Amino acid sequence: MHVTEDRRRVSVRLSILQYVFVLLFSALAVSFWVLQVVQHATYRELAENNNQRTLALRAPRGVVFDRTGRVLVENRQSYAISIVREHTTDLNRTIRLLADLAGVEEAAVRAIVNKHRSEPAYRPITVIQDATLGQVAAVMARRLDFELPDVVVQQVPTRRYPNALAAHLFGYVGEVNDAQVSGSDSLKSGDIVGQAGIERTYNELLMGEDGAKRVVVNSVGREIRTDSEVQPTEGKRLQLTIDFDVQKAIEDGFAASGFNGAAVVLNPTNGEVLGFTSRPAYDPNDFAAGIDRATWASLNTDELRPLNDRAIQGKYSPGSTFKMAVALAALEESVITPDFTVYCPGHANFFGRDFKCWKASGHGSMDLRHAIEQSCDVYFYTVGNMVGVDKINKWATLLGLGVPSGIDLPNEVQGLVPSTEWKREKMKEKWYAGETISVSIGQGQVSVTPVSMAVYMATLANGGTRVTPHLLKAVDQGDGRGWQAAPAPPPQSTFDISRDKLQAIRDGLWMVVNASGTGGRARIKDRDVAGKTGTAQVISNQGRLAAGKTTRNLRDHGWFVFFAPRDAPRIAGVVFLEHGIHGTNAAQVAHHILDTFFAKEDGRPLPPPPAPKDMRLDFSDPFGRRATTATDE
């Protein structure tokens, strides 16, 4: 009986165990069915996601054209080599091998990776911009050997500046820095943005919108297929006010002269910038794919400061080119009339001090027109003393001097036209009447930027409207409407100048170029060019005596400011030669600019670039014919 009961218990237990196993295997079967059939699509997607990469497709920046449709800035295709940390098992090994294959310093690659370590691991870190074909081939060969599955080679658009001109105007591009990322909602680390010039000012228009490509890769990183792709959107196309031929004429003129400096050429009626140069310059192409440390160091240590935009950041004494501001102040304040005369014996005494004219033998009796023509210092010493520094400040400011021009370029600096209030606030001292004498001929505390001098001449040319120089003419939004005119910035100020008084100044400027003045080298037949030369001392005669032999960096600066034609001006501007010795040298550069402008206007062949042997430059040292800080031509 007991045996029978034991067998029954065993049989029940076995039955229960069988049911348990049946239930377990049934549950497993159902689970496998759910996983493999019901949720097949879901788990397939998850599996593929483990072997997918999302690659950014960089948007080409907008192409930049001149006012006639000529390409000034464009894009080219290049290769970028990146590391995707998400797919690496040994990052240090990848860095070492990649640096060895590409022939670059391991420390440089490691520094780039370390800089981006805080970013998401799936985001590629570009370690070699603008890779050579040799570098690309070496990396791709190792990827096929499955040694670098975490390295990606992509074709990307890179900025190209096809013409060696206007570097400071165009500026350059570079990888966005931390400050720019933190100050923007749209920028992310690794973006390429404008860092100077119009590339920076109009970066939002030029930048475009990046796309993305989602690819499936196998276990060794080889792409199997493209799952999806969103094409990048190219940046907006910009048309500048720049005239390529005028711009090239400026560059050619400077090259032939052998001097550094700056030039700005405007349309005096609306402020459009026709040409803009600062020299020495740099090659923006060096920055397009990431500038190397050696080139960057050489640019920063060069004593000629090629990164400095002299047109908007250089402050210099204007010399005799300032005399028209003094003349206008005296005329508009009714201190003198155009017929007011001063006798110049070669010097004049003010406040117990003798001030020399640049012409030691004197000019004799001078009225306003002839005083401008001959740049008689004694005449303007006398008139400036009669007007006073505050009235000079008032009218010089209205003409555009000592204030920002408002040009659409970053980092413009402000010049200075002194006043009694300025000295009281800045130096806690009173203004002495004797200081006005030096200011009257553009020396002393007066400092100007070349761009402000261009505005100054445009204001004299158009009769009292201080235009705002600007570079953007039109934008193509890419919506099929073509070029849409960009609204011109309003004038900075407008004031009425008596026609007769303004004509006296214009006549004097015309005589500088077309009569017996010092600007004859800028003369263009039948074009009534009006202009003024100026030679501004870098160091006083006493200082030069103490320095001994005159070195290049102690030479005087040369100015030439102009507009043409005299009575219906269509062009105005400035040529500034740094240590250019004489204003007549600047006038020769201006001649080629003006000749090119009018040749293009007339439809005749453009003049060929001048050769150095064609430039009748004056290298004589003016030292020895002055005895004060007075300036001449």
Side-chain angles (χ1 to χ4, degrees):
M1 183 175 178
H2 289 292
V3 173
T4 303
E5 289 180 0
D6 290 341
R7 287 178 178 174
R8 189 181 295 118
R9 290 193 188 98
V10 171
S11 177
V12 171
R13 290 173 181 172
L14 287 174
S15 297
I16 293 172
L17 188 59
Q18 286 176 343
Y19 286 124
V20 169
F21 275 110
V22 169
L23 287 172
L24 286 174
F25 280 105
S26 297
L28 286 173
V30 171
S31 297
F32 286 135
W33 179 78
V34 170
L35 290 173
Q36 296 184 14
V37 179
V38 177
Q39 296 183 328
H40 169 76
T42 301
Y43 284 100
R44 180 181 178 183
E45 182 179 355
L46 290 173
E48 288 183 347
N49 282 340
N50 288 330
N51 292 283
Q52 286 182 341
R53 288 178 179 170
T54 300
L55 303 176
L57 300 177
R58 186 184 298 170
R61 290 177 71 82
V63 179
V64 180
F65 301 83
D66 88 330
R67 65 188 300 113
T68 66
R70 183 161 183 165
V71 173
L72 298 175
V73 185
E74 59 188 1
N75 301 297
R76 63 179 174 84
Q77 289 298 321
S78 68
Y79 291 95
I81 300 176
S82 308
I83 296 175
V84 184
R85 288 169 296 151
E86 184 182 39
H87 297 283
T88 187
T89 57
D90 189 343
L91 184 58
N92 287 325
R93 174 186 173 278
T94 297
I95 292 173
R96 287 195 302 271
L97 182 56
L98 180 56
D100 182 58
L101 288 174
V104 297
E105 294 181 9
E106 180 182 333
V109 176
R110 194 173 298 280
I112 295 172
V113 172
N114 289 336
K115 178 182 177 183
H116 297 277
R117 275 188 183 274
S118 60
E119 298 173 14
Y122 63 80
R123 184 180 296 168
I125 298 175
T126 301
V127 294
I128 301 177
Q129 299 269 16
D130 202 14
T132 66
L133 292 179
Q135 290 172 323
V136 170
V139 170
M140 292 301 295
R142 291 303 181 99
R143 289 192 74 239
L144 293 175
D145 290 338
F146 315 133
E147 291 190 59
L148 292 171
D150 50 350
V151 174
V152 177
V153 177
Q154 283 182 281
Q155 196 172 44
V156 296
T158 301
R159 215 54 166 153
R160 178 173 178 265
Y161 304 85
N163 306 293
L165 46 77
H168 294 87
L169 185 153
F170 299 140
Y172 56 86
V173 297
E175 185 175 343
V176 65
N177 57 46
D178 294 339
Q180 290 169 323
V181 171
S182 61
S184 172
D185 295 330
S186 58
L187 295 177
K188 62 183 183 300
S189 182
D191 283 345
I192 301 299
V193 299
Q195 300 288 6
I198 62 160
E199 293 278 21
R200 177 173 169 180
T201 300
Y202 296 110
N203 183 67
E204 289 190 10
L205 291 173
L206 290 167
M207 193 168 172
E209 186 174 343
D210 289 347
K213 182 171 72 169
R214 193 177 187 186
V215 298
V216 177
V217 298
N218 60 19
S219 59
V220 293
R222 184 181 297 175
E223 293 181 11
I224 299 172
R225 68 174 185 274
T226 299
D227 253 10
S228 61
E229 185 171 348
V230 177
Q231 289 295 323
T233 303
E234 185 175 359
K236 308 296 187 294
R237 303 195 309 162
L238 303 188
Q239 184 179 45
L240 302 186
T241 60
I242 293 295
D243 185 306
F244 177 86
D245 295 310
V246 171
Q247 182 67 39
K248 189 173 184 301
I250 297 173
E251 306 280 355
D252 289 341
F254 269 90
S257 76
F259 292 110
N260 293 319
V264 180
V265 179
L266 304 177
N267 179 335
T269 63
N270 58 18
E272 290 183 343
V273 180
L274 304 178
F276 180 103
T277 289
S278 174
R279 294 173 69 97
Y282 53 85
D283 186 352
N285 291 295
D286 290 339
F287 294 85
I291 190 167
D292 62 84
R293 286 184 293 178
T295 303
W296 178 246
S298 68
L299 289 172
N300 280 282
T301 57
D302 190 331
E303 63 179 11
L304 293 178
R305 299 173 298 125
L307 292 173
N308 182 59
D309 188 346
R310 286 158 166 77
I312 62 173
Q313 296 174 324
K315 295 194 294 184
Y316 310 92
S317 295
S320 293
T321 59
F322 189 71
K323 290 175 179 175
M324 292 83 75
V326 176
L328 184 67
L331 290 169
E332 289 295 316
E333 296 292 337
S334 301
V335 173
I336 65 170
T337 66
D339 298 324
F340 175 75
T341 60
V342 172
Y343 182 78
C344 170
H347 63 93
N349 191 279
F350 297 92
F351 311 105
R353 179 184 171 190
D354 199 45
F355 289 82
K356 304 294 184 181
C357 186
W358 71 267
K359 187 175 182 181
S361 60
H363 290 97
S365 182
M366 290 271 108
D367 63 13
L368 178 63
R369 291 176 175 82
H370 289 88
I372 293 174
E373 176 197 26
Q374 295 298 315
S375 198
C376 176
D377 290 331
V378 168
Y379 187 96
F380 287 96
Y381 291 150
T382 304
V383 171
N385 185 53
M386 295 166 64
V387 175
V389 72
D390 287 331
K391 292 294 193 301
I392 293 174
N393 170 278
K394 169 187 171 182
W395 290 96
T397 299
L398 286 171
L399 289 169
L401 300 178
V403 290
S405 72
I407 190 170
D408 45 348
L409 287 173
N411 304 320
E412 180 185 6
V413 302
Q414 181 175 334
L416 171 68
V417 178
S419 66
T420 55
E421 181 182 2
W422 166 82
K423 190 176 182 186
R424 184 169 57 252
E425 291 182 356
K426 181 74 173 178
M427 301 182 179
K428 311 302 180 187
E429 297 178 359
K430 64 171 291 187
W431 181 268
Y432 294 98
E435 296 176 271
T436 306
I437 307 304
S438 293
V439 168
S440 301
I441 59 166
Q443 295 281 172
Q445 299 283 5
V446 185
S447 66
V448 297
T449 59
V451 70
S452 70
M453 293 295 279
V455 173
Y456 164 56
M457 291 308 288
T459 309
L460 288 173
N462 65 37
T465 298
R466 178 155 64 96
V467 295
T468 303
H470 58 280
L471 292 156
L472 185 61
K473 186 174 182 65
V475 180
D476 183 353
Q477 299 283 352
D479 54 8
R481 294 185 299 161
W483 292 113
Q484 301 297 304
Q492 300 284 334
S493 63
T494 301
F495 62 97
D496 294 326
I497 303 178
S498 166
R499 185 176 183 85
D500 292 340
K501 294 173 181 177
L502 178 61
Q503 193 61 40
I505 294 175
R506 285 180 168 178
D507 289 345
L509 293 172
W510 181 90
M511 292 161 66
V512 168
V513 177
N514 299 281
S516 58
T518 54
R521 293 181 185 181
R523 188 178 304 145
I524 304 289
K525 184 180 179 182
D526 299 327
R527 288 301 180 181
D528 284 336
V529 175
K532 182 75 182 75
T533 57
T535 304
Q537 288 185 256
V538 174
I539 188 173
S540 68
N541 287 336
Q542 292 83 353
R544 194 158 7 186
L545 282 170
K549 183 180 179 181
T550 302
T551 59
R552 182 184 180 91
N553 64 348
L554 296 182
R555 290 176 178 174
D556 295 346
H557 298 318
W559 292 92
F560 184 71
V561 294
F562 59 90
F563 58 78
R566 175 188 58 183
D567 298 324
R570 297 187 294 280
I571 183 173
V574 58
V575 174
F576 168 73
L577 299 185
E578 191 172 68
H579 306 299
I581 308 175
H582 298 284
T584 51
N585 294 334
Q588 283 205 104
V589 176
H591 176 274
H592 182 61
I593 299 168
L594 289 162
D595 196 17
T596 300
F597 175 83
F598 286 117
K600 191 166 186 177
E601 192 175 74
D602 296 342
R604 56 185 171 87
L606 300 181
K613 62 181 178 62
D614 300 325
M615 303 285 282
R616 295 177 295 120
L617 300 176
D618 187 352
F619 289 95
S620 63
D621 190 341
F623 179 58
R625 55 192 181 98
R626 301 183 194 153
T628 75
T629 57
T631 183
D632 70 83
E633 280 53 61

